[in-house]
Amino acid sequence: MAATIKVSTGFFMSKRSWVFVLFFSFLSIQLSSTALAAPRISISAQTILEGAVRLFIKSRRAGGPAFKYVLERTKGRTRNRLFTQRARSNLNMRLIDLPGMGKVRYELRVLRGGRVLAVRNLYLELQGQSDFDSPSPDIYIPDAPSFQEPTGGTIQLVIPPGMIDCSLATQDETLQRVNWYRQQAGVQPLTIQWQLRTAATVHSIAMAAGNELTHEGWFEEIWELAGFHGSSMGQNIAKISATPSQAVDFLATSQNHLLNMQKASYRYLGVGCINDSRGQTWWTHNFGG
């Protein structure tokens, strides 16, 4: 027989109801406390070239309502907000920032209802000579990405000591060979795009510095650092001491890399080539449409 509760008189009609209601109230309090607990957050950084860093932001939580995450950078008397984001689940973000040389502080805050629940600070001191002395622009990712080919431009990169940038010297031969493979598939030829080339050079520098072949951070380099906002993007990488044509042929032996070269939605190519002090050559081919 089901237990009943008489609310108007303020007492319960059966002992079973007491047990049920007390347990339910206790459970509600526990769930409320868990939901409002501040998430565990962390922020770390990796230098990818002089004056530029890759930031790693992580948040771990048990669930509940959305929290607001704010990341700001302070350098001297200048303070810049890099992003604001709301999230209910775990947060795992990577982004590239160009603070320039000198001391810089990154502050990650977690807020709920205007109240600061947690703060993490990261202090860095970037040393050396660099042309990245102006603040980076705010990171902006539109809901419906589209790309218009700019009339021209450049981003000046500082090549670390012990490395040689061979990107410009190899791009024409690379483009010609990639377009040969595209012709076999019956798709339109690509043209060189300077933003994709910049991002490709940065990626080759990062791989050479870490002595590791990896795609890590490739999207941030294209979208955020170089500012190429396309609707279709991809990347091929290789570590091989060879001519530009031989490097393309080497990549084409892999079916997935060949499909990347021949994708019909791509219109542009950016070539990154770095020779390191160990005699290794790091290749990055960025594709975009």
Side-chain angles (χ1 to χ4, degrees):
M1 182 175 181
T4 58
I5 302 174
K6 188 175 182 180
V7 179
S8 58
T9 58
F11 64 92
F12 300 90
M13 296 297 293
S14 73
K15 292 183 179 180
R16 286 188 180 181
S17 298
W18 273 103
V19 174
F20 172 77
V21 174
L22 286 175
F23 173 76
F24 180 78
S25 300
F26 175 77
L27 181 61
S28 299
I29 294 172
Q30 292 301 311
L31 289 175
S32 178
S33 299
T34 302
L36 295 177
R40 294 176 293 174
I41 57 175
S42 66
I43 176 171
S44 58
Q46 173 191 19
T47 303
I48 57 174
L49 69 161
E50 290 187 357
V53 295
R54 181 181 290 128
L55 298 169
F56 302 89
I57 293 133
K58 294 183 179 181
S59 167
R60 294 291 177 266
R61 53 179 304 189
F67 288 94
K68 181 179 179 182
Y69 297 85
V70 177
L71 178 65
E72 293 184 338
R73 180 192 66 220
T74 301
K75 184 181 180 186
R77 296 182 179 181
T78 304
R79 189 179 184 94
N80 297 91
R81 178 165 293 191
L82 300 184
F83 79 79
T84 300
Q85 180 167 330
R86 294 184 180 274
R88 292 181 179 274
S89 58
N90 292 340
L91 191 68
N92 192 352
M93 291 185 64
R94 294 178 299 174
L95 61 93
I96 290 177
D97 188 36
L98 282 72
M101 295 297 106
K103 295 181 179 180
V104 60
R105 177 173 68 92
Y106 293 96
E107 181 181 277
L108 177 63
R109 300 194 303 274
V110 181
L111 300 93
R112 171 71 177 166
R115 178 187 174 190
V116 178
L117 302 178
V119 178
R120 290 292 182 274
N121 288 294
L122 176 65
Y123 297 87
L124 300 176
E125 183 171 2
L126 304 178
Q127 300 178 348
Q129 300 296 321
S130 174
D131 293 322
F132 297 116
D133 288 331
S134 58
S136 65
D138 292 337
I139 297 169
Y140 172 62
I141 301 179
D143 294 331
S146 60
F147 178 75
Q148 298 292 328
E149 169 67 9
T151 56
T154 183
I155 298 176
Q156 187 173 356
L157 298 178
V158 177
I159 308 302
M163 297 186 189
I164 300 174
D165 182 9
C166 47
S167 303
L168 287 174
T170 59
Q171 68 175 5
D172 290 340
E173 184 178 341
T174 301
L175 176 66
Q176 184 178 0
R177 193 60 177 167
V178 168
N179 280 338
W180 182 86
Y181 281 101
R182 290 179 66 83
Q183 185 180 12
Q184 310 311 305
V187 294
Q188 65 178 347
L190 304 178
T191 57
I192 292 293
Q193 207 284 328
W194 67 271
Q195 290 163 302
L196 290 175
R197 185 187 67 217
T198 298
T201 303
V202 168
H203 195 82
S204 288
I205 290 172
M207 291 193 298
N211 195 27
E212 180 184 10
L213 201 63
T214 175
H215 287 289
E216 183 178 356
W218 75 276
F219 177 79
E220 294 94 330
E221 292 156 355
I222 292 175
W223 191 284
E224 298 169 8
L225 177 61
F228 181 92
H229 293 174
S231 58
S232 181
M233 287 164 281
Q235 183 185 78
N236 285 345
I237 56 175
K239 182 182 71 172
I240 180 173
S241 297
T243 67
S245 295
Q246 289 171 341
V248 174
D249 290 342
F250 172 73
L251 286 164
T253 60
S254 161
Q255 185 64 24
N256 288 336
H257 290 88
L258 179 59
L259 289 174
N260 232 7
M261 291 185 209
Q262 297 176 331
K263 192 170 183 180
S265 62
Y266 294 152
R267 295 186 294 157
Y268 307 108
L269 173 69
V271 179
C273 173
I274 291 293
N275 293 319
D276 65 17
S277 58
R278 297 175 291 268
Q280 303 173 123
T281 304
W282 302 82
W283 299 90
T284 302
H285 300 163
N286 283 339
F287 303 92

